[in-house]
Amino acid sequence: MSTILFDQQPETTAPPKVLNRRLIAWSVGGLLIAAVMALIAWRITHALAKPEAAVSAIPTVSVAEVGISAVPSTVSIIGTIAARYDMPIGVEGDGGRVTAVYVEAGDHVKQGQVLVHLNNSVLQPQVTNLEAALDQARAEAELADAEYQRARTVGSSGALSAEETQRRKSSAVTAAAHVKVAAALLEEARARLARADVRAPANGIILTRSVEVGQTAMPGGEALFRLSKDGETELRGQVAEQDLPLLKVGQLVDVKLTGTSKIYQGRIRLLGAVIDPATRLGTAKVSLTPDPNLRPGAFARAQVTVSNAERAVLPQTAVLNDDKGSYVLIVNAQGKIERRAVRVTGMVPSGVTVAEGINPKDQIVTTAGAFLQEGETVKPVVVAGTS
């Protein structure tokens, strides 16, 4: 029995060594797991902290202080160039076939100058015939008058009766009347012959020509020419209803033709007496100095300076628009974005003129205003040269 007890003793001492090894392995594994978990937690915390930092970053915006300057207030007149006196020229006489045309569109003509010659093959013989009839009537009148004077001389001696003297007097008067009738008929024929030549009624420039050799020209038909009397031109334009009271006759006007930069000086000659109820526009006529480039029918725009007013001038990019109207974004004293409604009055080379809505010391956001939200905190940076 002692041998059996000796053999079983080593079996009771082996298990503690195995347990120690397992404990050590578990401890090392637990430390590794804890380290991994700590690393994962640190990465998650770091990743979540980045958006907070991005959100908390304050954007920088460019701003400009409001600049106040004297801005001319202008009124626009839009219209076309026209001849001040546009005279149609047609046939005055009996009409006829055109045998010659002596001028072209654009030619300068003098009053009485022949423009067109019509066929006068019938009128010329009539004038010749009436000239001969006038000569015959004058000869008969001279003879009748001589006989009457002779009768008066010898009638006092009793050689001729009073009745004969009276008859000769009546013949002389009748012959003198025939002379007047023949002269009147001749004058009429000559006038009709003269009207066979279409002449310029005044000095000026031929604007259009619508006649050709060989066509038949008749009174009351289409005008053969249009003449600009003395070459005078004017701008006939329209003005907004609210601007018309600002204009006065005699004001200087700067006129520009479409596609050119040259300025033509003019003066307001006439202002319309009524407003078109459909368009709410009035009319204005601006007299211009004659110039070859001022051709009737050309589109033109005029500017009239009516006053000089103190206005705020902002960069064009600073003024925004939406369904509520025009507005700007300013940075207030707390460094936050604030919206201000403004009233835009016009454009100048340096920017946009604003009459209401901002103060001289306001800091106006000049660019990227559409990406900012009202109430957002920003860091303003004044841009040099924009105030």
Side-chain angles (χ1 to χ4, degrees), residues 75 100 238 255:
V75 172
Q238 295 181 319
V255 179

Coordinates of all heavy atoms in Angstrom, one line a residue, residues 75 100 238 255:
V75 N -31.4 111.0 -67.5 CA -32.6 110.5 -68.1 C -32.3 110.0 -69.5 O -31.6 110.6 -70.3 CB -33.7 111.5 -68.2 CG1 -34.9 111.1 -69.0 CG2 -34.1 112.0 -66.8
A100 N -36.0 111.6 -118.0 CA -34.7 111.8 -117.4 C -34.8 112.0 -115.9 O -35.7 112.6 -115.4 CB -34.0 113.0 -118.0
Q238 N -38.5 108.2 -77.1 CA -39.5 108.0 -76.1 C -38.9 108.1 -74.7 O -37.7 107.7 -74.5 CB -40.3 106.7 -76.2 CG -41.1 106.6 -77.5 CD -41.8 105.2 -77.7 OE1 -41.2 104.2 -77.4 NE2 -43.0 105.3 -78.1
V255 N -25.9 112.2 -77.6 CA -26.6 111.2 -78.4 C -25.5 110.3 -79.0 O -24.5 110.7 -79.4 CB -27.4 111.9 -79.6 CG1 -28.0 110.8 -80.5 CG2 -28.4 112.8 -79.1

